[in-house]
Amino acid sequence: MMDPERKRGLTFAITTAVLWGFLPIAMKVATGEVPVLTIVWFRFAFAFVLLALFVGRRDKKRLVVLRRPPVLGVLAAIGLTANYLGYLSGLEHTTPSNAQVLIQTAPLMLAVVGVVAFKERMSRLQFVGVLMAIVGFALFSWDQHSAAVVGGDALLTGNLLLFGAAVAWVIYAALQKRLSMQGHAPQDLNLLLYALPSAALWPWVDFGLLGGLSTGMWILMAFLGANTLIAYGALGEAFKRLPAYQVSLIITLNPLITLVVMAVLGTLGLAWVPADQVGPMGYAAALFVVAGVLRVLR
């Protein structure tokens, strides 16, 4: 029978994967009307306000992390902010499916960090699973290149921005894992992770544009903010209960959700659905990724 803490950790990690599966589609639509910096600020500010109310209501002493933040927490916040900016900027130049697959180099890099820096152990079969996932991502990237939904220069620019975002995320995640190992509560750390970028990005926010958004766009922006709050809250709890490499491999499943949702939306002929195209090899590669991840989690 599975250990209850491990079961909770898996549930939290899967929650993050599901939420992140819908994220690139919503953000691609949002960038059609709202500047990148304004979207990033709104996501952090929305998450911070709700989490601060929740934490403060339970125990105001926990808000002390905002007055005396750990140095690693500040560095983690910088890494997460760079990840948000890089990912959203890269998404503007490419498709949701391509962005979602390429950004999965982040959890794969984190898996390596987990083994090297945190001395987490993998069996040979689990290592084979990691290699299977890497091969699957490579095949999917080739499928996207062949589809040529976006121009070559735009694809290259977008991919470079996305890879930079992936590196920034690994820095954030490794520091978050280290802090959780030192006894810091995940949600207390998230308060800091949301507060610092909210304050830093304030001067570049287009508040006039936000005030003129339609009801539909406000619902979309609220979804993006709630996605940040819940997904990163669940991720912090998962890091507390599971090895970093297992968390990282679970969240690599989120592109499959993106693929399915994009395929369904594509059949509906909706004008706001972003361009996307996945061939048979792309879907086969995605299944190969799933097989690799399942091998690691056994």
Side-chain angles (χ1 to χ4, degrees):
M1 187 173 179
M2 185 180 294
D3 175 70
E5 278 297 285
R6 173 175 166 77
K7 185 182 294 186
R8 281 192 284 269
L10 289 172
T11 301
F12 282 125
I14 291 170
T15 298
T16 298
V18 171
L19 288 171
W20 284 354
F22 288 93
L23 189 59
I25 304 170
M27 290 200 298
K28 185 72 174 181
V29 175
T31 56
E33 293 190 33
V34 186
V36 169
L37 286 173
T38 299
I39 293 174
V40 172
W41 173 84
F42 184 88
R43 291 182 65 192
F44 280 123
F46 184 99
F48 171 72
V49 170
L50 292 185
L51 184 59
L53 290 173
F54 174 77
V55 171
R57 190 172 183 179
R58 298 187 69 180
D59 185 0
K60 292 183 179 180
K61 293 180 180 178
R62 293 171 60 184
L63 299 177
V64 72
V65 69
L66 299 174
R67 297 197 301 270
R68 294 195 296 273
V71 175
L72 292 183
V74 174
L75 294 177
I78 293 172
L80 187 59
T81 304
N83 165 259
Y84 270 49
L85 293 173
Y87 181 81
L88 200 49
S89 298
L91 184 60
E92 284 190 300
H93 293 84
T94 184
T95 66
S97 293
N98 181 71
Q100 197 68 330
V101 169
L102 185 58
I103 201 66
Q104 299 315 308
T105 54
L108 288 176
M109 285 188 284
L110 181 61
V112 175
V113 171
V115 173
V116 175
F118 302 125
K119 309 302 179 184
E120 298 170 352
R121 294 184 177 182
M122 282 190 194
S123 68
R124 290 184 178 179
L125 288 178
Q126 286 175 318
F127 184 71
V128 169
V130 173
L131 294 179
M132 290 173 63
I134 292 173
V135 171
F137 287 128
L139 290 174
F140 188 91
S141 295
W142 177 258
D143 174 78
Q144 287 294 284
H145 178 75
S146 301
V149 175
V150 296
D153 291 341
L155 185 64
L156 177 60
T157 299
N159 285 350
L160 289 174
L161 287 167
L162 289 166
F163 184 72
V167 173
W169 188 86
V170 173
I171 294 171
Y172 143 75
L175 293 173
Q176 171 91 335
K177 177 65 177 178
R178 175 65 68 187
L179 288 164
S180 68
M181 292 171 66
Q182 294 174 354
H184 293 277
Q187 303 315 319
D188 293 2
L189 289 174
N190 281 342
L191 270 177
L192 179 63
L193 293 171
Y194 303 152
L196 291 181
S198 296
L201 296 175
W202 179 281
W204 291 277
V205 179
D206 190 339
F207 289 102
L209 183 144
L210 285 176
L213 291 179
S214 65
T215 301
M217 281 302 299
W218 267 113
I219 293 174
L220 181 62
M221 293 292 285
F223 169 77
L224 292 176
N227 194 295
T228 293
L229 176 65
I230 300 171
Y232 275 94
L235 182 64
E237 297 294 340
F239 276 136
K240 184 179 178 179
R241 294 168 172 83
L242 296 175
Y245 81 86
Q246 288 194 2
V247 176
S248 68
L249 266 294
I250 293 170
I251 59 180
T252 60
L253 296 177
N254 67 72
L256 301 181
I257 299 167
T258 305
L259 289 174
V260 171
V261 174
M262 287 299 297
V264 172
L265 291 176
T267 63
L268 300 178
L270 301 174
W272 54 266
V273 176
D276 205 3
Q277 183 175 332
V278 180
M281 185 174 73
Y283 287 110
L287 292 176
F288 203 62
V289 170
V290 174
V293 172
L294 292 177
R295 176 69 268 173
V296 171
L297 296 177
R298 289 189 63 181

